[in-house]
Every structure is written in structure tokens, then in C-alpha cells.
Amino acid sequence: MGEVEEFYAVYDEDTRLTRDNVHRMEWIATTGVLAEHIRPGERILDVGAATGAYTLNFAHRGYAVTAVDLVERHVRKLAERAAAEGLPNVACLQADARDLSAFDDGSFDVVLCMGPLYHLGEEADRSRCIGECLRVLAPGGLLAVAYVSENAAPRANEVRSQPLPYNYDCFVMDDPEKLVSFLERFPMTVIDHASVDGMSRGLSDIVNGMNRDELEAWTRFTLSICRGPTAFKQAYHGLVLCRKDGRGSR
Ligand SMILES: C[S@@+](CC[C@H](N)C(=O)[O-])C[C@H]1O[C@@H](n2cnc3c(N)ncnc32)[C@H](O)[C@@H]1O
């Protein structure tokens, strides 16, 4: 078993986005930013889908979603959830983001790559991952790339009152500006870039103690300042949205 598989053998992806307010905020912000760019009826590929938080959400809204993940247990769980929730519009496959040869060129309108770059440190692997995501994307299609910020992630962890419960050695952190420069080398245009959790990780004790109204207000405030260099310096997670070049650019 590789170190990524070992990490996810003990880390519970199922509850990741619902387990506390900080993670709930990441979910609300990410779905909000994606909703600004994804149109009804588009074909979605969710690469690094884990147990399907985003896949199932899009499927419930009528999208045809194909999900892939490196970890077989995640794919099995996702397939079980899709069946239990009556979603025939979900297809799942165990695959590595660096090799999406199961899919034809241009077969999706949207590719979500919200996880693989957290674990691919070598430039060649990252290039293969983004190259594959782009290959399977139709011209003009949307690629959403999530990253863990090098600026803020270690600092957010320093100010936590509790020690980290897991060994995060298999994670790769990104400098937001360098990641954007890297993405700009591919035949696509960066059209949006947002921090999806702002300062929430560093303030996790406070944010997790918020009631529903307070969390709503905090999320609104964080989203109002989620774009721009200062936001990227504070955030733990960022999301870069790109449009593939070519005919049909929308
Ligand atoms: C932190 S989870 C994120 C899951 C989900 N996309 C989200 O945003 O909540 C990262 C996921 O990426 C998967 N992953 C890591 N490296 C991968 C690779 N090379 N190919 C495909 N999936 C990968 C992991 O197994 C894990 O399920």
C-alpha cells in the first residue's frame, strides 16, 4: 500500500466536509464558487472524488457524473452510496489521476481535480495529472483545481489548541501564485481563483463554536473577501478555475 492509501485507510473521508463548521464552510464555499461556473446538463468528471461528497451532490441535481479515485475503498463506498441514493447517473472507477486512459479525449464538460494535487509532489506527476484532466475535457470546458496552501496551512496548524490527529506527511502544499503560473503553462485560461476557507482553519476553535446564524454570517464575510492575494495568503484551501482553450470556449 502506498502512503496515500495508508493515510486514507485511517482518515474518514465520509465525514470530512460535515464534521465541523470549518469543513462545512469549505463545502459551502466550494459548491458556491463551482455553481458560478457549471451549467445545467454538463458532463462532470470528479477526479479524486473520495466517497462522493461532490459527485453525489451534483448527481442529485441531475448531472451525469463520473467519479474516479486512487483508493479502491473510496470508490466502493461511493458506488454503494450512489446505489442507496437511487442515482443511476453516477459511474465510478478506480483510477490514478495521472492516467485517465479509460476516458476518451474531450468526453467531459467539467473536470473537478479537487484532491490529487494534494498528494502529487513531483512536477512530472502534476503535469501528467493536469494533462490528463485537460485531455478528457472538451474544448471550452471547465477544470477546477483545488490545493492546500503553503502560506497558511502550516500556520493554521501552529495555532490549533489540539495536536493534529493524523500524520499529514503525504500532503503537498502549494504556493498559490506558483500554482497559478504552473497551470498557465497548459492550453487553458485561469478564469477564477478563490480561497474556500479563508482564516477559518487558524480560528478553528472559534469557528467550530459558532451557531448556525453566526456561521452563515462568517461564511458570507469570508466569501466576500475570498479573491485576491491577501485571501490566498490566509486560506488553507484554494480553488483555481480554468477554461480549456479551443473551439467552443464559452
Ligand atoms: C482530501 S480528499 C478530497 C476529496 C474530495 N474531492 C473533496 O474535495 O472533498 C483527496 C482524494 O484524492 C484522492 N487521490 C489522491 N491522489 C490521487 C491520484 N493520484 N489519483 C486519483 N485520486 C487521488 C484520494 O484518494 C482522496 O480520496
Side-chain angles (χ1 to χ4, degrees):
M1 204 190 274
E3 63 172 355
V4 173
E5 286 94 338
E6 272 173 26
F7 174 82
Y8 288 104
V10 290
Y11 184 87
D12 182 12
E13 265 300 315
D14 250 5
T15 59
R16 191 180 85 78
L17 290 160
T18 51
R19 77 168 57 113
D20 56 26
N21 282 347
V22 168
H23 289 86
R24 250 171 246 136
M25 228 204 88
E26 179 190 335
W27 161 263
I28 294 167
T30 302
T31 49
V33 172
L34 289 175
E36 292 176 31
H37 298 281
I38 299 178
R39 302 177 185 103
E42 293 193 314
R43 301 158 296 171
I44 300 176
L45 176 66
D46 189 0
V47 184
T51 59
Y54 293 99
T55 293
L56 299 175
N57 179 269
F58 279 108
H60 275 294
R61 292 191 278 137
Y63 291 90
V65 191
T66 302
V68 307
D69 201 278
L70 185 67
V71 173
E72 199 190 340
R73 195 170 60 88
H74 286 170
V75 178
R76 219 178 317 120
K77 185 71 197 268
L78 201 166
E80 285 166 15
R81 291 177 73 186
E85 294 175 29
L87 293 167
N89 48 335
V90 170
C92 318
L93 184 75
Q94 194 256 329
D96 190 310
R98 290 165 290 184
D99 177 7
L100 300 175
S101 53
F103 308 112
D104 291 338
D105 295 2
S107 47
F108 297 96
D109 305 302
V110 176
V111 175
L112 308 177
C113 180
M114 304 197 303
L117 287 197
Y118 301 176
H119 298 288
L120 294 172
E122 298 296 324
E123 174 139 350
D125 289 326
R126 304 183 128 225
S127 290
R128 238 180 291 150
C129 167
I130 298 300
E132 277 294 83
C133 289
L134 263 187
R135 181 185 62 75
V136 300
L137 195 58
L142 181 78
L143 172 62
V145 180
Y147 65 90
V148 178
S149 171
E150 166 183 284
N151 289 321
R155 287 183 217 149
N157 292 337
E158 272 168 26
V159 299
R160 287 168 62 101
S161 59
Q162 302 291 323
L164 287 172
Y166 301 99
N167 175 356
Y168 285 92
D169 286 353
C170 67
F171 276 79
V172 176
M173 316 273 173
D174 270 292
D175 175 305
E177 282 177 22
K178 285 190 190 147
L179 177 65
V180 168
S181 300
F182 166 73
L183 294 172
E184 283 174 341
R185 284 195 241 143
F186 293 84
M188 60 185 181
T189 306
V190 172
I191 56 165
D192 199 0
H193 184 180
S195 104
V196 290
D197 41 21
M199 293 178 70
S200 299
R201 285 287 181 120
L203 302 173
S204 58
D205 291 345
I206 297 169
V207 175
N208 286 334
M210 290 178 178
N211 65 30
R212 183 192 290 240
D213 290 343
E214 289 165 341
L215 180 64
E216 261 181 42
W218 174 250
T219 304
R220 258 198 317 277
F221 167 68
T222 301
L223 282 174
S224 73
I225 55 164
C226 75
R227 290 170 171 99
T230 310
F232 308 140
K233 288 217 184 300
Q234 295 166 351
Y236 196 99
H237 284 101
L239 187 64
V240 184
L241 292 117
C242 315
R243 281 248 171 246
K244 181 172 172 175
D245 293 347
R247 189 167 54 85
S249 286
R250 294 164 281 188

